[in-house]
Amino acid sequence: MKITFIVIGTIVLLIMLFLIYRYFAFKKEGAQVHKLRFERIQPLHEKLENGKEIKKEDVFDYAKDNKTRELTYQILSDYNKTELYPRAYFTIESGAESSLVNWLEFPTELDKAPDDIKHLEKVKIVFEDEDVFYHVFKYMTIEPHWAAKNGWMLGVVGPYFENSKPYDFPAATFSRCSSKFGEIEPKDEAKWVHENIALKRA
């Protein structure tokens, strides 16, 4: 009996140590991702911080890149400079794409920005007599990334509403990574995210 308790205690201790390790590893990895995201737009931020003149051409490449698009708009908004943001990327689809890319890059998700991503469909769901919208994308990675074998996968961003603006925060940005394009319809994946992510976070 004593040996049984020792074995159980050892297993519990190992599990606790692993959870503590993962907690601190997660915090470290998350901090590294945030640092990388800031470094990508640091030159633009420094110009704004130092009060230097910024033209639309200075902003365009940051807005064009889906890895920096969302943060670029947020920083321009902080400095009341959103008039410099390119109109071509001031759309909900552009904002949603960037939100999904940033989410996928996080270590607990895809752990990298996808190598390709395409907008598939805007899905409308009627919920409590209100129209709710989700944007569905397909994305893929290339070898040697572990998800390359999945081919095109589905990601969903939302919910958006009739009065939503392009860079409003979408609280249910999500991808199961196992949902493959061609096997699951975009509207069905949006419905799954609505029911299992958005409603549970509401």
Side-chain angles (χ1 to χ4, degrees):
M1 182 67 71
K2 185 177 179 181
I3 294 175
T4 301
F5 282 125
I6 291 173
V7 171
I8 293 173
T10 301
I11 293 172
V12 171
L13 178 61
L14 289 172
I15 291 173
M16 289 178 63
L17 288 173
F18 175 76
L19 292 175
I20 292 170
Y21 165 77
R22 283 306 305 155
Y23 170 76
F24 285 105
F26 171 78
K27 288 189 69 174
K28 181 179 179 181
E29 291 165 355
Q32 290 173 342
V33 169
H34 289 303
K35 181 174 181 289
L36 174 62
R37 289 176 183 170
F38 179 74
E39 286 175 347
R40 289 172 180 157
I41 57 132
Q42 190 169 357
L44 178 64
H45 180 263
E46 287 179 350
K47 285 184 178 181
L48 288 165
E49 183 70 18
N50 296 324
K52 293 184 178 180
E53 181 183 4
I54 294 179
K55 300 178 180 178
K56 288 185 176 182
E57 308 89 81
D58 299 321
V59 176
F60 187 84
D61 285 342
Y62 293 102
K64 182 180 179 181
D65 187 340
N66 55 27
K67 294 187 295 297
T68 54
R69 183 180 300 157
E70 186 177 37
L71 188 54
T72 298
Y73 184 84
Q74 291 170 356
I75 287 178
L76 288 175
S77 180
D78 289 343
Y79 286 89
N80 297 313
K81 297 282 187 181
T82 54
E83 73 277 2
L84 297 174
Y85 200 81
R87 304 305 300 178
Y89 297 102
F90 191 68
T91 65
I92 286 180
E93 289 84 350
S94 293
E97 178 184 308
S98 187
S99 180
L100 180 58
V101 167
N102 292 158
W103 186 86
L104 288 168
E105 193 174 31
F106 209 73
T108 53
E109 309 310 330
L110 195 65
D111 198 23
K112 77 179 295 290
D115 292 295
D116 198 1
I117 184 169
K118 299 183 186 301
H119 183 263
L120 288 176
E121 191 174 329
K122 177 182 178 181
V123 177
K124 181 177 78 171
I125 295 175
V126 179
F127 177 69
E128 295 184 350
D129 297 323
E130 183 176 18
D131 291 344
V132 180
F133 302 96
Y134 291 87
H135 287 270
V136 185
F137 296 82
K138 66 175 183 178
Y139 66 90
M140 53 87 72
T141 63
I142 58 176
E143 296 287 358
H145 190 270
W146 61 266
K149 66 181 184 300
N150 291 344
W152 289 99
M153 297 161 280
L154 297 178
V156 180
V157 186
Y160 294 98
F161 308 92
E162 290 287 1
N163 60 348
S164 291
K165 297 179 176 59
Y167 288 91
D168 286 350
F169 176 69
T173 298
F174 196 78
S175 174
R176 293 190 278 182
C177 296
S178 59
S179 297
K180 301 176 184 178
F181 175 67
E183 293 183 358
I184 300 177
E185 291 296 319
K187 66 179 185 340
D188 293 329
E189 191 67 6
K191 184 174 183 285
W192 187 93
V193 169
H194 176 71
E195 294 174 349
N196 294 276
I197 306 298
L199 295 185
K200 290 182 178 180
R201 289 179 179 175

